């Protein structure tokens, strides 16, 4: 377990992370006392919550860290400004940490290793983070002038856009400087912090693992609801280059919807999507492995599992050479196989219970 002794702490990070909730609460009380409650200020805070939260998920995460799509300069500037105002470091630093997280997930080298416990993965790692400027995983970003500009002017940028801007909007339009500063500024930062910190903590703890059971990342619609769609984290860790995290139309993934909508007006392009058969193959193999791990495994089930494995390999081979029409039929067959595997799993669980 990590030790949170004073000598180990990153003082700047710790002071900000621990005092910002206090400033947010006291400031909000001051706003209520001096200016009184107003829905407009709450609305302003919500707009900044969406802008900065999505700046992280659509911008920092899916664009800059994973290159899951391309964006024009207007979007890149907006992502860098508002993602920056979520106060989670410059894009360069954030993406570098995140790429290490994917490459070394669940190991000692994972910056937010969940095996160190919920608190460490959630925010403890930020309290203990050393100030090392080693960007070996982000050579592409070091060459990006906009990313480097944001890195250089990060501090003045967050003061101006993260705090002064909402305060001025609050003052000019809603007659409340305090509401803009403390509710749309500080309180909003604290809420966005914890919403996105959940991705590193609870998204590695809550939910199931349909694609890869070897690592801790999990899929959960509930977590997706709190994290702008990033809760389909097992899918994301398995197919990190995909611009989507929730792949079904009904999956709650507002980050995916934003990226897709922007593609219709040419602001985003080259959206990377994993082929359906590749996704189904992963799911089928994970499902079969699950059945094989059951203690109530019988000869009959064993035979069926072997047959399904053979059929899967055969279909994958055929998919390489087939025309589009036949491909659709084969993919539909993979879908059926997945349903059968789910049924088999359920039966075994019932027997086991
Ligand atoms: Zn990621
Ligand atoms: Zn993760």
């Amino acid at each position: 377990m990590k030790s949170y002794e004073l000598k180990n702490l990153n003082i700047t990070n710790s002071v900000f992370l621990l005092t910002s909730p206090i400033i947010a609460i006291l400031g909000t009380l001051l706003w209520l006392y001096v200016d009184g409650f107003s829905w407009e200020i709450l609305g302003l805070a919500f707009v900044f919550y969406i802008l900065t939260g999505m700046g992280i998920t659509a911008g920092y995460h899916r664009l800059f860290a994973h290159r899951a799509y391309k964006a024009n300069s207007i979007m890149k500037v907006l992502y860098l400004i508002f993602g920056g105002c979520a106060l989670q470091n410059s894009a360069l630093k954030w993406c570098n940490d995140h790429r290490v997280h994917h490459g070394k997930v669940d190991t000692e080298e994972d910056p937010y290793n969940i095996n160190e416990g919920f608190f460490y993965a959630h925010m403890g790692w930020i309290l203990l983070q050393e100030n090392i400027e080693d960007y070996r995983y982000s050579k592409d970003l070091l060459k990006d002038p906009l990313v480097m500009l944001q890195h250089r002017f990060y501090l003045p940028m967050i003061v101006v856009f993260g705090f002064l801007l909402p305060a001025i909007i609050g003052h000019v339009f809603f007659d409340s400087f305090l509401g803009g500063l403390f509710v749309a500024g500080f309180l909003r930062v604290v809420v966005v912090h914890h919403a996105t910190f959940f991705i590193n903590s609870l998204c590695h703890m809550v939910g199931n693992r349909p694609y890869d059971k070897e690592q801790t990342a999990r899929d959960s619609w509930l977590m997706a609801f709190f994290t702008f769609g990033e809760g389909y984290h097992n899918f994301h860790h398995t197919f990190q280059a995909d611009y989507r995290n929730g792949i079904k139309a009904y999956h709650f993934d507002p980050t995916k919807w934003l990226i897709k909508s922007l593609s219709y007006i040419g602001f985003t392009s080259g959206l990377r999507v994993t082929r359906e058969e590749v996704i189904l193959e992963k799911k089928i193999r994970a499902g079969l492995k699950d059945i094989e791990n059951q203690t109530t495994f019988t000869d009959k089930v064993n035979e069926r599992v072997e047959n399904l494995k053979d059929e899967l390999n055969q279909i994958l081979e055929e998919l390489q050479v087939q025309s589009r029409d036949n491909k659709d039929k084969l993919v539909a067959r993979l879908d059926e196989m997945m349903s059968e595997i789910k049924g088999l799993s359920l039966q075994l669980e019932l027997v086991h219970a």
Side-chain angles (χ1 to χ4, degrees):
M1 273 299 144
K2 304 277 181 187
S3 152
Y4 295 94
E5 275 175 62
L6 194 62
K7 66 175 171 43
N8 297 337
L9 294 183
N10 177 317
I11 299 299
T12 317
N13 290 0
S14 304
V15 167
F16 190 80
L17 267 193
L18 302 175
T19 56
S20 54
I22 301 169
I23 298 172
I25 293 168
L26 294 179
T28 302
L29 291 174
L30 186 70
W31 162 64
L32 288 172
Y33 181 72
V34 176
D35 295 338
F37 176 83
S38 85
W39 284 106
E40 286 86 351
I41 287 294
L42 224 54
L44 178 67
F46 187 67
V47 168
F48 267 80
Y49 169 74
I50 301 289
L51 287 175
T52 52
M54 301 272 253
I56 290 288
T57 60
Y60 272 38
H61 187 213
R62 300 192 201 181
L63 177 71
F64 293 112
H66 290 298
R67 301 271 178 221
Y69 65 100
K70 292 188 177 71
N72 67 8
S73 300
I74 299 171
M75 283 319 296
K76 281 172 87 174
V77 168
L78 287 173
Y79 284 151
L80 288 167
I81 290 177
F82 288 104
C85 292
L87 266 70
Q88 297 179 20
N89 257 319
S90 70
L92 176 67
K93 181 94 189 68
W94 194 102
C95 293
N96 199 66
D97 287 338
H98 192 74
R99 286 173 180 181
V100 180
H101 168 61
H102 274 268
K104 310 278 182 187
V105 70
D106 301 330
T107 69
E108 282 267 296
E109 289 168 80
D110 178 354
Y112 10 100
N113 181 11
I114 193 66
N115 297 319
E116 292 287 344
F118 167 84
F119 182 77
Y120 180 78
H122 190 71
M123 60 187 282
W125 71 277
I126 306 168
L127 304 178
L128 298 173
Q129 198 175 36
E130 289 175 47
N131 291 320
I132 301 170
E133 303 232 331
D134 171 11
Y135 302 116
R136 80 179 83 166
Y137 296 96
S138 306
K139 296 220 164 90
D140 54 327
L141 296 175
L142 288 169
K143 287 186 218 142
D144 187 320
L146 289 172
V147 169
M148 292 314 289
L149 195 71
Q150 191 234 30
H151 185 69
R152 230 177 119 202
F153 296 102
Y154 182 65
L155 210 59
M157 189 198 82
I158 56 175
V159 172
V160 172
F161 291 99
F163 296 101
L164 274 180
L165 180 66
I168 290 167
I169 296 176
H171 175 66
V172 173
F173 295 100
F174 311 119
D175 213 15
S176 176
F177 183 87
L178 293 176
L181 180 65
F182 290 115
V183 183
F186 281 93
L187 188 63
R188 179 265 314 164
V189 162
V190 174
V191 177
V192 173
H193 264 167
H194 294 281
T196 50
F197 294 168
F198 278 148
I199 303 165
N200 299 332
S201 56
L202 289 181
C203 290
H204 282 262
M205 298 172 88
V206 178
N208 51 22
R209 292 178 283 185
Y211 306 97
D212 183 1
K213 289 185 170 57
E214 306 292 309
Q215 38 98 359
T216 55
R218 285 158 193 268
D219 274 17
S220 155
W221 64 266
L222 186 67
M223 288 320 301
F225 187 74
F226 290 111
T227 55
F228 304 92
E230 305 268 44
Y232 299 98
H233 207 52
N234 191 255
F235 177 85
H236 174 61
H237 268 267
T238 315
F239 305 105
Q240 53 176 292
D242 201 306
Y243 89 96
R244 311 159 302 170
N245 276 14
I247 50 170
K248 300 271 194 243
Y250 58 83
H251 281 166
F252 183 82
D253 187 355
T255 303
K256 164 187 79 175
W257 298 328
L258 173 75
I259 298 166
K260 184 77 182 165
S261 310
L262 289 168
S263 73
Y264 295 123
I265 52 167
F267 276 39
T268 61
S269 58
L271 278 54
R272 289 163 72 178
V273 174
T274 316
R275 288 202 316 278
E276 212 183 334
E277 61 265 33
V278 176
I279 298 174
L280 278 166
E281 182 196 352
K282 264 278 181 197
K283 231 174 152 178
I284 289 171
R285 291 202 194 282
L288 289 172
K289 211 168 178 185
D290 227 16
I291 295 175
E292 285 176 324
N293 288 337
Q294 291 273 355
T295 47
T296 46
F297 204 68
T298 62
D299 283 350
K300 208 176 143 201
V301 176
N302 188 22
E303 200 187 320
R304 190 66 200 123
V305 166
E306 289 309 317
N307 288 343
L308 283 166
K309 272 189 196 165
D310 290 343
E311 191 182 351
L312 173 66
N313 290 334
Q314 201 186 326
I315 291 178
L316 291 173
E317 255 173 51
E318 280 181 44
L319 276 167
Q320 315 269 348
V321 289
Q322 293 292 324
S323 65
R324 188 65 251 173
D325 265 10
N326 277 340
K327 268 191 180 174
D328 288 346
K329 274 185 213 143
L330 290 170
V331 171
R333 175 62 198 134
L334 288 179
D335 228 356
E336 277 170 28
M337 284 167 71
M338 196 56 230
S339 304
E340 187 187 340
I341 290 164
K342 271 188 201 155
L344 270 175
S345 251
L346 210 63
Q347 270 177 28
L348 288 174
E349 267 170 40
L350 287 177
V351 173
H352 196 53

